Amino acid sequence: MSAVVRRGTRLTAETLCFTFDGREYHGQVGDTAASALLASGVRTMGRSVKYRRLRGVLAAGPEEPNALFTVGSSPTVFPNVCAPQLELREGMVLRSQNRWPSLRYDVASLLQLGSGFLGAGFYYKTFIWPSWHRWEAPIRALAGLGEAPGACELPTVAVEHFSCDVLVAGAGAAGLAAARAAARAGARVVLCEREPVCGGELEFESGTIEGRPALAWIDATLAELATLSARVLTGTALVGETGGEFIALYEPGGLPGANAVYKIRPRAFVIAMGATERPIAFINNDLPGVMLLGAAERFLSRYGVNAGRELVLFANHDRVYAAATRLVVAGMRVRAIVDTRDATGLGPQAARQRTALAGTGTDCLLGHAVIRVTGRGQVRRAVIAPLASPAAAHSIACDTLLVSGGWGPSTHAGMHEGGVTRYEEALGAFVSTEQPDGRENAGAANGLLELSQALADGAGAGTRAARRAGADGDPGTAPLGSGDGAPRLVPFWRSPADRAGEKHQFIDYQNDVNVADLRAALAEGFVDIEHVKRYTALGFGTDQGRMGGLLGAAILAELRGEPLRDVGTSRLRPPYHPVTMQSLAGLRVGARLRPMRRTPLHEWHVAHGGVLEPMDLWMRTRYYRENGPGAYEAGIAEAQRVRTSGGIIDGSTLGKIEVAGPDSGPFLDALYLNKASTIKVGRSKYMVNLREDGMVLDDGIVLRIAEDRFIATTSSGHGAHMLAHFEHYRDTQWSGCGVTVTDVTEAWAVIVVAGPQSRTVLREVLSAQWRQPLDALTHMAFARGTLAGQDLTVLRASFSGELAFELHCRPSISEPLWESLIAAGFKPYGLEALDILRVEKGYLVSSELNGQTTPFDLSMDDLVKHGNHCIGRELLDRPAFHEPTRPRLVGVRAVDGRMAFYGGAQLTTPDQPHRACGYVTSSVYSPTLSEWVGLALVSRAHADGAVLDCRDPVRIGDCKVRLTSIIHYDPSGERMKS
Amino acid sequence: MKGVEQVRHRGLGLVERQTGRVLEFVAFHFPSEGAFVVGWPAAPGAIRHDVQGLSGLLHFAPARWLAPSPCREIAALVAAAEDAATGTCIDVTGKWREFALIGTAAARVLASTLNTEIVLEGRECAAVTLFDCPCVLARVGDGYRIWVRASFAEDFVNAIESLCLPG
Amino acid sequence: MIRLICPFCGPRELREFEFHKTRAEPGSTPYAQVYERVNRLDDSVEHWQHVQGCRAWMLVRRNPSTGLVLETRILGGDHP
């Protein structure tokens, strides 16, 4: 436990407690998990996925590949949380990953002995005998990263869509300069920064800007941006973009799971997301104690944590000397600086710093490289050799090795939608050149690592962005500043090693991909970087190749003997960092997953024991609780009551389309198989739509309201499709003609009053003016009038086979009308009962109108014969539609009246038990006939009266059925037409 | 149909308004410059306000205008257009339910589901989907007028009620 | 999200639109229109509907290989 109160730009003096792997530790408010543990002397923070090698923290940002913790306790656990990003809170519970039973003693680390069998792509080549499945279970148990959370309550996300003139991603030197210039020019600026504070490298790089220390300049700039109404979003990372819309997630405290999701459409976009430092590959470069140079600087300046006591620095650029100077001032001892360049590589500032460091006892080597580090579980010694003669090595005792191989511009935000990059030898990195629609990189993201250049570049990009967005004010002068000098980098990717050593030169820490794996991939014939990536899993982890992607590409290029610019890097895709499903779901969670459509009578059904179920987007009543313990019993009771006296059902979901205009008759003729234009005003007709290939699409009733006005009803399920179908036809073949199409589904509530008593009850409920029209109403005719001042249409039509009336009324009077029908003695029935009634009468629903049946299959030959030229007519006259093997719609009943059969059961003949000659489309228990009845589609070879086997091995077993006419009850239709 | 306040908290009001008759006028031909009388909102997204300043006639879809609770003047305009055989007038009473969304948080509520700036750019009304519900949206003064398709209206109110906005 | 420019509503997110079908080749038989559709790699002419907006039907010319939308115009007007 550290008793010293550390000072850092992110810390306060207040302390807190947390646990890691069951032990209690102390930290300060502002600490991250990584900084507090480092301060407490903890260096091992996890094990690698495959070989279970001990690992420590390598980086100080979201690109950290090793120190991933599980936060919290089941079920609310957050796996794979990046330790350097996770802000500690009092009582936080942390666990390391990829180890069992403990971090120190991990059973699976014995796998390292079998590492020869576990190279890249091992699952294609090994563990095949006797059967992969025997090995699969234990291998899967070892694989994977972290523990998935259980069912837990997560906070709902706030989503915000907004536009702005200029979006600047990244609030480092270049980003702040860009935002300031754009805002001064009058643009609406949004600046987003993934860290909780702005500044980027300025946080530790000792720079001065416009005569002030960098940190003071940052504060002044942010204050100015506030006065210019710029919006600064900290703790907000840009994760991706599609089609000009940028997604940024506000994840405070480094815990995954956004609190807010921003969807931003800027007119212009500046990418100032900096550059990511990369390591160099040498033997055992994954030992705890090996850290990136910039990470050590950040741990020092932000959290007051010393990365180690005896340091060795290994780099290929000038910045290492500036860094070493700062580390020495903080009290760390730099034993050696290993610079791969020769003396001519150094700039004057670096040369001065080097001389000063040498004077204080640091061994400053040029043209050398660290060949390997050794130590049990952490760095103890560094083995260093001259590049000219790698055999002449010597070793130094140390506890920390800080490595830096250079920086790779974070260009991803420009690359997600396609952009072009170019390899810059002076950077040893790819810099983006072409970007879609004028967006630009600025600063380190543009390959400019010097502070003065970054500021100028940022100001220029911000100004150009403001101009593109139409703001032409004065951006002011670009800020002048100076900090660390130019890096003068000479690319260096890996230290010399023999074949055995290459196995421990790690490139991708998260997937344990080493140089030997790259060599193996090449030997297997995987040459392209995209293939190598997928074969070796290079770049697959949570860091998405930020540590090892470029390193891997460079080493691959070396192994291929080609320049790096020809090898390239693999394609970048969003999201930039791991995003939780919760963030993507946004508001569509729980009850808000999908919309729910309600009929005007919905509240009544709910209040009166209706059991509702979703049908597409509608909630429809299946049955009413008072009629039975479940759907089966209640449906039977409700159906029986309709046949004996009557009932009412809410049919408001019925699709209704109003077609109006002088050409509406001919228009409908073209959409239906049978003619609409011959319907008389005041009458309706059962009509069938064909699909363009001749199959039956839908059916419904069309009412002729007036000479130039019809209402076409569709089935509830096909409503949306039929509306689009009508609209499409009107806007293509009938554009400019005198016909309009309007969806009126919700303008009319529909109450079906069915049963022998229906006319009596209606006469009682409707006002006196309706008596005569009701009595005079013949089958398929309708009468229009008003009720309580609102429009009402009474249509005499039946889907139950009983005397029935469809009341189409305005929603505002639907509930009073419904209640008056209840008061008059009718009770409601639901879809379950409706299905029973319609199957008894052989009426069709989507089970029969399934898109695979022709009008001939459905015995609609008459409609075809008298039909007109319509959509689908041409393809109706096909020989294939008249083949003897085409199905025919028939009724079915069990030979033994007590047997049940279900829809979906297959029908076979005894001599061909393995080939279905048909199947049952619908089946119900009929209370009227006291047996199960159904409808089926059966090959024409079988006539009415034939007995077939009804096969249902999975559900209720087999029985014998007889084919009958499709109308099981009241075949002459007397009850309906009474 | 509720004519009462539905949601009121923290700078937000969602109030359902009573509607009387609601008409949709659908034209046979479009684009329709010159086909209508002066004052007819012919441009996409245009609104003709009635004498009380309320939205009288909204051009929310090609060749389709919404007339919610039309006053005598608007009703006469629409009837005249039908008589002139320019199109047909459909009585869609019950299809749309009208809400007023007001308060300082109104804009932020809508921003949860779409980018209002883009959708209302260069127009006074737009056919949109808000919280997965089909709507017609109009900016009115400091707030908004929203016509929601009736079967979705309950869901629309629930969506706004369940929004958890940053304080 | 990628946007389409609805001829009536202006630029809207792609999710508001539904693809219907490619336009039939002019002069093709009914059978060919249903079963012998032509998929063009570079210049696909398609019918889309702005289902979650104004419900306009529109003709969209796109390059399916690059995703670039070349043109959108309304169907159903007097000048098809």
Side-chain angles (χ1 to χ4, degrees):
Chain A
M1 180 183 127
S2 167
V4 179
V5 172
R6 291 172 277 124
R7 295 165 68 91
T9 58
R10 302 269 181 108
L11 294 183
T12 68
E14 198 186 327
T15 58
L16 48 73
C17 285
F18 66 100
T19 61
F20 172 61
D21 278 352
R23 257 184 80 176
E24 196 180 83
Y25 292 91
H26 294 265
Q28 291 169 232
V29 172
D31 256 332
T32 61
S35 64
L37 285 171
L38 281 175
S40 305
V42 174
R43 303 189 109 205
T44 50
M45 304 210 183
R47 284 183 179 264
S48 66
V49 160
K50 193 159 68 169
Y51 299 126
R52 310 291 254 230
R53 290 167 69 92
L54 280 170
R55 294 280 169 84
V57 64
L58 182 70
E63 64 274 11
E64 167 59 29
N66 297 324
L68 303 180
F69 294 159
T70 297
V71 181
S73 324
S74 198
T76 312
V77 291
F78 297 87
N80 306 324
V81 180
C82 185
Q85 296 284 99
L86 176 66
E87 281 172 34
L88 286 175
R89 272 192 267 288
E90 177 69 41
M92 219 174 219
V93 174
L94 307 173
R95 270 180 288 144
S96 59
Q97 298 181 168
N98 300 331
R99 83 296 184 275
W100 185 83
S102 73
L103 188 53
R104 228 165 131 211
Y105 300 109
D106 175 55
V107 169
S109 65
L110 295 172
L111 279 173
Q112 288 177 59
L113 298 172
S115 63
F117 292 110
L118 294 175
F122 72 88
Y123 29 83
Y124 303 125
K125 293 177 277 189
T126 50
F127 300 104
I128 293 172
W129 183 90
S131 147
W132 158 247
H133 298 291
R134 293 255 198 104
W135 300 99
E136 188 184 350
I139 289 177
R140 283 199 190 279
L142 288 171
L145 203 55
E147 167 199 341
C152 53
E153 276 292 318
L154 291 173
T156 14
V157 162
V159 179
E160 190 181 346
H161 299 74
F162 60 95
S163 293
C164 64
D165 290 332
V166 177
L167 173 64
V168 179
L176 285 166
R180 188 178 84 171
R184 283 180 177 177
R188 270 183 313 160
V189 171
V190 172
L191 175 63
C192 78
E193 165 58 52
R194 68 144 200 257
E195 293 289 323
V197 298
C198 299
E201 301 234 327
L202 297 175
E203 252 190 306
F204 63 87
E205 186 185 337
S206 30
T208 50
I209 307 176
E210 291 183 326
R212 280 182 281 205
L215 296 179
W217 180 83
I218 294 170
D219 289 338
T221 307
L222 288 173
E224 186 184 344
L225 285 175
T227 63
L228 294 169
S229 304
R231 198 169 166 188
V232 178
L233 304 168
T234 52
T236 304
L238 195 68
V239 295
E241 176 224 343
T242 48
E245 185 182 52
F246 292 84
I247 317 285
L249 301 185
Y250 171 57
E251 289 173 307
L255 215 57
N259 277 24
V261 176
Y262 301 109
K263 302 201 176 180
I264 311 171
R265 282 207 176 264
R267 289 195 172 78
F269 178 43
V270 175
I271 306 163
M273 293 168 76
T276 310
E277 198 169 27
R278 58 171 183 266
I280 299 172
F282 50 90
I283 299 173
N284 293 333
N285 62 338
D286 66 331
L287 266 180
V290 176
M291 192 186 286
L292 287 171
L293 185 60
E297 294 229 69
R298 283 172 175 85
F299 281 120
L300 176 62
S301 72
R302 289 178 187 171
Y303 313 106
V305 175
N306 286 1
R309 274 190 291 268
E310 307 280 320
L311 308 171
V312 168
L313 273 55
F314 176 29
N316 57 348
H317 52 74
D318 270 4
R319 291 282 173 89
V320 67
Y321 300 103
T325 309
R326 287 191 280 265
L327 295 170
V328 163
V329 163
M332 286 173 265
R333 188 155 165 239
V334 178
R335 298 280 325 268
I337 299 179
V338 181
D339 191 336
T340 60
R341 303 170 299 165
D342 60 36
T344 59
L346 272 74
Q349 187 185 11
R352 273 196 304 276
Q353 288 165 332
R354 178 167 176 265
T355 311
L357 285 159
T360 59
T362 305
D363 199 4
C364 293
L365 300 162
L366 292 168
H368 277 62
V370 171
I371 302 297
R372 62 163 10 108
V373 289
T374 58
R376 246 188 107 80
Q378 61 167 317
V379 173
R380 291 266 183 247
R381 303 193 72 83
V383 175
I384 303 163
L387 288 167
S389 50
H394 68 281
S395 79
I396 307 181
C398 60
D399 65 10
T400 307
L401 191 121
L402 302 182
V403 61
S404 174
W407 299 265
S410 297
T411 55
H412 70 98
M415 302 303 291
H416 288 165
E417 288 281 299
V420 180
T421 54
R422 178 192 73 238
Y423 178 65
E424 277 279 315
E425 182 74 21
L427 273 180
F430 285 85
V431 174
S432 94
T433 51
E434 258 172 59
Q435 302 265 36
D437 55 332
R439 65 184 68 167
E440 305 183 33
N441 297 298
N446 204 16
L448 300 170
L449 300 170
E450 252 194 292
L451 179 56
S452 54
Q453 288 178 319
L455 290 167
D457 198 35
T463 306
R464 286 189 294 278
R467 299 280 182 258
R468 247 191 319 280
D472 46 17
D474 177 17
T477 48
L480 295 171
S482 65
D484 291 346
R488 300 171 69 106
L489 181 146
V490 173
F492 186 84
W493 310 103
R494 68 178 183 122
S495 304
D498 60 9
R499 290 295 169 97
E502 283 180 352
K503 281 205 207 136
H504 299 297
Q505 291 185 318
F506 285 91
I507 302 167
D508 184 315
Y509 292 78
Q510 286 207 307
N511 292 286
D512 275 344
V513 178
N514 51 52
V515 175
D517 289 327
L518 289 188
R519 207 181 269 284
L522 262 186
E524 297 276 332
F526 298 100
V527 175
D528 190 287
I529 183 72
E530 297 280 6
H531 291 152
V532 171
K533 171 182 173 178
R534 281 148 183 87
Y535 184 73
T536 59
L538 169 75
F540 269 24
T542 60
D543 69 342
Q544 284 290 291
R546 250 166 295 172
M547 281 290 100
L550 183 57
L551 196 57
I555 296 172
L556 180 68
E558 181 211 317
L559 295 175
R560 267 165 62 173
E562 291 171 35
L564 177 52
R565 87 177 71 86
D566 292 347
V567 170
T569 49
S570 56
R571 173 94 192 226
L572 294 168
R573 296 187 176 88
Y576 180 54
H577 72 236
V579 167
T580 60
M581 297 301 285
Q582 172 224 14
S583 313
L584 296 174
L587 301 176
R588 289 194 176 84
V589 175
R592 305 249 46 83
L593 182 64
R594 63 200 248 310
M596 185 195 292
R597 298 182 75 175
R598 295 167 167 83
T599 68
L601 293 162
H602 179 94
E603 301 285 317
W604 193 96
H605 301 312
V606 169
H608 291 84
V611 175
L612 290 105
E613 280 184 1
M615 204 189 93
D616 284 341
L617 296 180
W618 289 100
M619 289 301 282
R620 304 193 65 181
T621 309
R622 196 159 167 216
Y623 65 96
Y624 293 83
R625 273 197 203 91
E626 64 175 8
N627 299 317
Y632 178 74
E633 297 86 355
I636 289 170
E638 290 170 9
Q640 255 177 325
R641 194 187 296 131
V642 173
R643 292 249 184 260
T644 48
S645 58
I648 50 175
I649 184 168
D650 178 2
S652 304
T653 61
L654 192 69
K656 303 161 211 85
I657 304 173
E658 186 156 335
V659 179
D663 293 330
S664 22
F667 173 74
L668 288 172
D669 283 347
L671 282 164
Y672 288 95
L673 177 58
N674 38 354
K675 258 179 151 29
S677 53
T678 50
I679 305 174
K680 295 202 172 13
V681 175
R683 292 201 62 85
S684 70
K685 191 160 153 187
Y686 172 76
M687 309 278 285
V688 171
N689 305 89
L690 294 185
R691 212 167 52 197
E692 55 190 355
D693 63 353
M695 296 290 184
V696 173
L697 176 59
D698 197 27
D699 66 354
I701 292 177
V702 171
L703 293 81
R704 190 168 202 156
I705 311 287
E707 200 54 42
D708 60 351
R709 202 170 285 254
F710 295 79
I711 293 192
T713 67
T714 72
S715 63
S716 302
H718 280 127
H721 181 79
M722 292 309 293
L723 176 66
H725 181 56
F726 275 48
E727 288 168 331
H728 181 248
Y729 198 56
R730 191 263 185 190
D731 282 356
T732 49
Q733 320 291 77
W734 288 78
S735 72
C737 296
V739 61
T740 66
V741 169
T742 305
D743 179 15
V744 293
T745 303
E746 290 146 307
W748 298 101
V750 175
I751 300 173
V752 177
V753 184
Q757 303 296 321
S758 45
R759 191 188 282 114
T760 316
V761 164
L762 265 182
R763 286 176 100 241
E764 197 180 309
V765 162
L766 298 178
S767 53
Q769 62 167 132
W770 284 93
R771 294 279 160 82
Q772 197 275 325
L774 260 181
D775 290 342
L777 217 48
T778 51
H779 188 62
M780 299 304 272
F782 63 90
R784 304 189 97 207
T786 59
L787 186 70
Q790 300 283 347
D791 302 318
L792 173 65
T793 302
V794 178
L795 163 69
R796 183 171 163 183
S798 178
F799 196 58
S800 52
E802 297 301 316
L803 172 67
F805 299 85
E806 269 185 33
L807 310 180
H808 296 211
C809 69
R810 295 293 178 192
S812 57
I813 56 162
S814 58
E815 200 169 310
L817 179 54
W818 178 272
E819 302 223 287
S820 62
L821 289 160
I822 303 266
F826 265 16
K827 288 199 183 295
Y829 62 102
L831 291 180
E832 196 76 13
L834 180 70
D835 207 36
I836 293 174
L837 297 167
R838 71 100 190 161
V839 171
E840 289 174 338
K841 290 295 297 180
Y843 292 135
L844 311 179
V845 296
S846 54
S847 316
E848 290 79 35
L849 308 176
N850 57 15
Q852 295 174 357
T853 46
T854 71
F856 306 113
D857 300 344
L858 300 171
S859 306
M860 294 176 179
D861 300 58
D862 271 357
L863 289 182
V864 178
K865 191 160 61 162
H866 301 297
N868 63 167
H869 190 84
C870 64
I871 292 175
R873 193 63 211 245
E874 293 109 341
L875 266 76
L876 197 52
D877 305 322
R878 288 194 256 173
F881 279 13
H882 300 277
E883 299 260 304
T885 49
R886 282 299 307 177
R888 179 174 74 95
L889 186 70
V890 296
V892 278
R893 297 216 207 177
V895 167
D896 176 353
R898 295 163 300 170
M899 300 293 280
F901 54 92
Y902 292 162
Q906 302 290 301
L907 300 170
T908 62
T909 53
D911 57 317
Q912 283 203 308
H914 300 297
R915 163 163 276 158
C917 59
Y919 68 101
V920 177
T921 59
S922 312
S923 87
V924 292
Y925 177 78
S926 161
T928 326
L929 304 162
S930 301
E931 63 174 306
W932 282 77
V933 300
L935 301 170
L937 286 165
V938 180
S939 153
R940 280 168 196 278
H942 304 284
D944 286 2
V947 171
L948 296 174
D949 294 317
C950 179
R951 318 288 300 284
D952 204 337
V954 178
R955 292 180 296 185
I956 52 168
D958 303 346
C959 67
K960 284 202 183 298
V961 295
R962 185 185 311 111
L963 305 185
T964 66
S965 130
I966 63 173
I967 307 179
H968 297 282
Y969 172 70
D970 183 29
S972 58
E974 276 169 22
R975 295 179 70 91
M976 186 166 74
K977 298 198 175 135
S978 62
Chain B
M1 244 192 286
K2 303 177 186 75
V4 295
E5 299 173 3
Q6 307 245 5
V7 179
R8 267 211 190 276
H9 64 82
R10 287 202 301 177
L12 177 74
L14 178 67
V15 179
E16 177 158 14
R17 308 184 64 77
Q18 291 281 9
T19 51
R21 252 183 151 51
V22 178
L23 308 173
E24 279 183 34
F25 184 83
V26 192
F28 294 135
H29 304 279
F30 61 95
S32 45
E33 296 96 15
F36 293 98
V37 298
V38 169
W40 187 275
I47 301 182
R48 156 80 182 252
H49 297 273
D50 63 19
V51 288
Q52 293 168 311
L54 297 173
S55 305
L57 198 56
L58 299 99
H59 193 188
F60 71 101
R64 194 174 290 270
W65 288 260
L66 182 69
S69 312
C71 64
R72 211 164 356 162
E73 175 208 0
I74 299 284
L77 210 59
V78 169
E82 191 173 32
D83 289 339
T86 325
T88 60
C89 183
I90 315 284
D91 189 327
V92 293
T93 306
K95 177 177 174 183
W96 300 97
R97 280 168 62 176
E98 183 178 332
F99 292 86
L101 184 69
I102 53 179
T104 47
R108 178 63 186 86
V109 163
L110 290 182
S112 300
T113 182
L114 90 176
N115 188 319
T116 44
E117 186 179 321
I118 288 175
V119 149
L120 288 174
E121 186 170 339
R123 56 193 69 229
E124 294 174 272
C125 71
V128 294
T129 301
L130 300 175
F131 303 106
D132 297 328
C133 303
C135 300
V136 174
L137 172 70
R139 206 194 323 258
V140 170
D142 284 336
Y144 301 88
R145 208 45 76 80
I146 304 171
W147 289 267
V148 186
R149 285 273 297 281
S151 60
F152 291 89
E154 280 302 311
D155 214 62
F156 174 76
V157 173
N158 290 342
I160 292 183
E161 269 180 343
S162 67
L163 267 187
C164 165
L165 292 179
Chain C
M1 181 172 295
I2 296 167
R3 296 193 292 184
L4 280 182
I5 299 182
C6 169
F8 187 86
C9 302
R12 294 288 189 95
E13 309 288 334
L14 186 68
R15 89 172 80 84
E16 296 189 10
F17 300 85
E18 269 180 30
F19 168 82
H20 179 56
K21 62 179 178 184
T22 50
R23 189 181 63 178
E25 300 292 304
S28 52
T29 63
Y31 183 87
Q33 282 183 31
V34 175
Y35 292 113
E36 291 170 357
R37 312 295 307 194
V38 177
N39 286 324
R40 295 193 186 285
L41 267 185
D42 52 357
D43 193 340
S44 180
V45 180
E46 304 164 352
H47 287 181
W48 290 66
Q49 187 182 25
H50 191 187
V51 174
Q52 289 188 30
C54 65
R55 298 194 66 84
W57 277 98
M58 47 204 265
L59 186 137
V60 176
R61 268 185 61 229
R62 292 191 316 129
N63 181 325
S65 308
T66 62
L68 189 66
V69 176
L70 304 163
E71 179 198 346
T72 58
R73 65 177 166 79
I74 201 157
L75 290 169
D78 288 345
H79 314 286

